[in-house]
Structure formats: C-alpha cells, structure tokens
Amino acid sequence: MVRRPSVPVVLFVVATTLLAAGGLAWLLDADTAARWTWLAGTALGLVSALATTLEAVRDRRPTVDVIAVLALAGAIWVDEPFAGAMITVMLATGRLLEAKADARARRELSLLVARAPRTAHRRTVDASTDTVVDVPVAEVVVGDHLLVRTGEVVPIDGRLLDDAVLDEAALTGESRPVELEAGQDVRSGVVNAGGPVELTATTTAEHSTYAGIVRLVEQAQATSAPFVRTADRVAVLFVPLTLVVAAVAWAVAGEPVRAVAVLVVATPCPLLLAAPIAIMSGLSRAAGMGVVIKGGSALERLATGTVLLSDKTGTLTQGRPEVTDVLAPEGVDPDEALRLAASLDQVSAHVLAGSVVHAARHRGLVLDMPSEVAEVHGYGIEGIVSGRRVRVGKAAWIVGEEVPRWIRQARRRADLDGSLTVFVGVDGGPACALLLSDPIRPDAPRTVRALREAGIEHIVLVTGDRSDIAEMVGRVVGVDAVVAEVDPEGKLATLARESARGPTIMVGDGINDAPALAAAGVGVALASRGATASSEAADVVLTVDRIEALADAILVARRSRRIAMRAVVVGMGLSLVAMVVAAAGHLPPAAGAALQEGIDLLAIAIALQAVLPARGRRPMPAGDISDARRLRIEHDAVLPLVERIRAVADGLTTDEPRLGAVVELREALQAELLPHERHDEAVLVPIVARALGGTDATVGLSRTHAEIEHQVGRLSRLVDGVEDEVSPEDVVELRRVLYGLYAVLRLHNAQEEELAFSLVPGAAPHRGPDSMTPPAQT
C-alpha cells in the first residue's frame, strides 16, 4: 500500500513550489505572473494559519497563529506578495520540522509496541504424548513449559531450561547478543538469536516485562514539560507585545507597511518549536539508552534533581540471591547434593530456584530432568531425580524434630552473615544446606561516582534491611548517609526530610518502593527483570540491568534542557532585535520574512543538537572486548581455587597437622592462579586504562597483583621451611598466611568486577562466592 504524504509535507512542497515559481517569473520580467503566484502562496498560508487559529478557538486553547494570520493579511493589504509567500514557507517549514522531529523522537518507543508478542508455543508432556500447541499469550500461566523458536520474540518472562543466545537490543539498546545459561531468568520482548530454547513461565502476560514496557510507552510523552508549557505561555504573551509594537510603528510613521514588517518578523517559533524539539529529542536519546522517561515534565524534573535516595536490594545489589556456600554433613558429597537439588529446581518457578540451578551449572554439574514433581505450598518442592526422592525447601519440612549439629552450625553462620538458607533432603534425610546472599552490583560504586559528576549533591541509601548490612553496602558504594530498618512509611518520612536539601530523585525496584517513587520529585524504577508496581508509580524506568544508565539519563536530561534554553534565547533574542529594526523602518516585509526564516531554522538547528550524542567515553574496541571476555572466563575458572584456600585453612588443626592439602594447594596456586594474575596484569590492566582514559584507576589492580604474587611466594617458602615434625606454631603461621591470601584475593576479585568486567559489554558479573556478598533480606 502506498503511503499518502502528510499534510505538513504537502503544505511545504506547495508553498516552496509557489515561492520558487514566482521567483523564476520575476527573473524573467513576468512581474504580473510572479505577483499572482506569490499571492497564491500567501493565500495558502492564510488559509492554513486561519484554520489552526479557528481550531484553537474551538478548543479554547491559546495560540500565536493569530500573528501569522495578521501578517499574511497585512502582506496582501500592503501589496507585499513576496513577503506573504515567504511567511507561508516559514510556517510550512516549521510544521514539517516539528512533525519530523516528533516522529524521530517517538521512533524508539513506538517500535516496542509494534513488536509485542501475541502467541506462545506451550509444550505439554505426559506419559503418552509430547505436544506443542500455539496459545494466546494471555492464556499462559505460571509454570507453563514454553518453546521459543529461532528468531522469535520471547513472549513471557521465564526461567531458561536450556542455554540461550538472545538479542536484547529492543529493550536495552545493546547490539551484541547476550549468552545466558540454563537456570537464568529471561525477559519477554527479547529475541531468540540462537537455536530453539525452552523455558518455564514465571509470570503471566499481563505482568511480564514486555507488557509493562508497552504500558510505559503509552504513558511516555503524554504531558508537556514545564519548560515547554512556559514556552507556550510566553508565546501567548508575545501576541499583545507584537500588536503593541506594530501599532506604535504604524502610528509613529503613518505607514501600515511598518506594522506588517513587525508582524512578519514577530514569530515565536523558537519558543513553539525549538523548545519541544529539544525536550522530545532528549526523550529519544534516553529511550535509545534503555531509559523510558514518561514525558517532558519528568525529563525536566530529572534534570533539576540534586538529592538522590536509593533502595538497596535490586538497586545497589543484584537483587537475585546467589548460592555462596554448600554445607553438608560428613560423608555427603556437597556437589552431588547440589546437583540433585538443582535438577529438581529446573522445573520450579520459585524465585530462588534459578539461583540454585545456576550454581550447579556453574560448577559443571550435569543435571537430570525430575519426575513426579509436586509443589508443597509453604514448604518447598519434591520429586524423583536419578531414582532418588529429593526435597528442596524449609528446614522444618526436611530435617524433622531432631536437628543435627551441622544444621545448627549452618543456621548460626547464616544468621551471622544475614544469609538466606535453603535445605535439601535426599531419601528422607537432610543432605545439605544452601546459603544464599545478594551481592553488590559491580557497577554500583562507579555509578555513585558518575551520579556525583552528573550533578547529584547528596546520596542516601534507604532500606528496610538490617542496619549493619546497610551500613556495609553504603560504605562500599560510597553514599553520604544510610537509613536502615524502615518500612514504606519510613521511606516517605525520609524522603520528606531530604527534600529540604533540594529536588529529590528516588530509585527503587520493589512494590514497597512504589509510595516513595510516587511521592518523590522524580521516581526511578528498575524494570529490567519485570514490570512491577514500582514501574507504574515511577516517572523514569530503566529497562536495562545497568544502574549507570541513570547517570547517563540525568546527563541527557540536563543537556536537553540546556540546549532548549539556548535555542530559545538565541531565537527570541534575534526576533526581538528584528522587530525593533522593522519598527524603525530599516527592514521591509520581504527582507524581514527571509530573515525570520533564517532565525527559525537557526533555533531549530540548535534544538536538534539534543538528538546527537554528547561527547563522552569512546566505545571499547572490539579487540579489547574479546580479550576481556576471554579473561573473564579465566577469572571464573580460578574461583573454586580461591575458595579452596579457605577450606584448606579451615582444615588445618594443631591436633593432627597434615601438610598434604597445603602442598597440593601451593602447586595449584603456582600452576593456575599466578599465570592468570600475570595475564591479567599484562592484558586486562591496559584494557581498563584505555577504557577509563588513564592509568590512575588501575594502580590498585596492579598493586593487588603484586601482593598476590608476594603472598603465594611466602606460602611456598613457609611450606619448604617446615620440618617433618610440624609444630603448632607452624600451623598458626600457615593459617595466617592462607587466610591473608584469601582475603586479598576476595578484595582483588571485587576490584576486577567493579573496575574491569563491569565496563565490558556482555561480560556479565559472576554469580558466586567471589563477589562481595551482603545478604538479601526478606
């Protein structure tokens, strides 16, 4: 079907054609033909301006098109057809540019709506059949087994049953495919860029990520920004000013042509077009970065915010508990117990199931599909795995009345660390306890620094979690104040107190954050893992799982507002000067029309700068990204060795000192750990220096590389120097060296997560015990 040209396009083409035809006739000395051609153009503009003016009067909406009506009518009255034709082209150009800018600004958002998935492939397996049936996405329920074929959009949020390669460009703007492992969560709206994959639905269509994004799109750009509304009001006030200046010029000179000249140059296009174009362009830039801003008003308030309050869980931390340890009694293989639990959790939609599955796969364990699976509400899940009956859930359901000593120790350790515990039972007896914690986001400290550079003056962590945990997170990420153990009402009270410092921005991702998000000057919700009540209440929604995007969005908002102001000051300043010159008789209507066209185009061109990317850090070269991802794989491969250091130290006792495990550990450190750290120093450190624009940020990494080498050397010398009869003093010294090495490596791994791997697209943070892991509280 052939698309019909829009009204602004038709008006512009006809107006410019009439102006050019009249000019050609004038050059050929056909003055009469030129005059009538220009008069036709003037009449076209008069009809168009009159129509918009009458429409505004009907809607009881103020308009400045009355100036255009008077200018065009005046041009006909004083016989200035060329000036009238120029005014028509000026009006047509402004409307065409406005339509084009508006369409471009909305493009990123509207594409999301067009891609909304409509159907899902539901797989049904029973004793006799294995079928795949296409059903509307609205009929999918939690726990359904879905198939997503190559090139299809994932219709529902779910948990992967297979490894997958996904294209998340529509949601995040990231052009490179993302690789996810079985057991990880996947969002609706992303495209399957690999082979067919299967997943377990963890939500319904109504509450899925993509449905939430579509709702956000419908809300976005629904309101005018305060700056734009102010521009409208100033433009309306401009009408009586113009009429007064035109009347005075006519009265003083006694020539109506002067009044017409004033009307010709008195267009407030820099206010009416330039300001909205800059604001809309800012919305477009933010949307392309994965930040949906719900209208120009929210963008302007985001630009003026100076006080930021942030929730902890899911905002400064990952928000997804991760298995940090597997505690099992003597005689039970922890890896086998974890494998059985993960095999059963593959088919569970519980929020912790994905963490258990991912931990098992990360250790290289091979999972089996369970049978006879049953969810026991309030307790857990049970089923048959590899011929053994497995339960995963609460201790009371698995342990029974008599609690073994190792379980009491596991509970005590979890209480001290603030960790979550999940218990695993095999064949009627307890097999292991899984400890889960919520690690700090690797990019959180850098995000806090970026927020300060973007203009945020005061940052507060406000959370319902325990104060000791919140204080630790606050110290790591670098906030100014911490308010802990508060409920939603307490968050509102904190928000009210902090608002005295300046305009507020509240960041959160949970239902309990919704009241504070709605009450803040600007509410910012993280919706990368699903649409929640917080997304509905917020003014700004991050669809990317990268909180640093908020700092980028603030910079975009401030830049857009600054560009809008610049366009208005330049355009209106030149228009006012032109009005004075025209009133003094030094600017005839024809020349004034040409001049005003240039002023309008200049103001709009300034406003369109907001569409262009600002100067910033250059993208990381493809070679550096490839090298960093390869180093990431090496980094993950040595993590079990790091945890082995603590285990060996824990096993050293003065009663029966045995050095066999220590000797084996030393050999592994020299063969595996030290080559990796040297490779990091030679390759990763220069990559980070190039990405951050200098070596200052890499000094800490190099220093810990040297310290690791030093500590391994000390351990080696200590082992070589120990005699056959190991003394208690030797054991104490060995444990001291091992624990010291373990602490340095944990800190070093956290440094690499923050300074290096969080910079690399696609190098997702490791989900395991190397991360700094403050606990998740529920």
Side-chain angles (χ1 to χ4, degrees), residues 112 179 464:
L112 291 174
E179 297 181 6

Side-chain angles (χ1 to χ4, degrees), residues 183-206:
Q184 290 188 278
D185 293 333
V186 61
R187 294 176 291 167
S188 59
V190 302
V191 177
N192 180 16
V197 297
E198 297 181 4
L199 58 90
T200 300
T202 56
T203 186
T204 61
E206 181 183 1

Side-chain angles (χ1 to χ4, degrees), residues 673-685:
L673 180 68
L674 290 185
H676 167 68
E677 300 300 338
R678 291 164 184 161
H679 196 192
D680 275 354
E681 180 65 25
V683 180
L684 184 63
V685 169

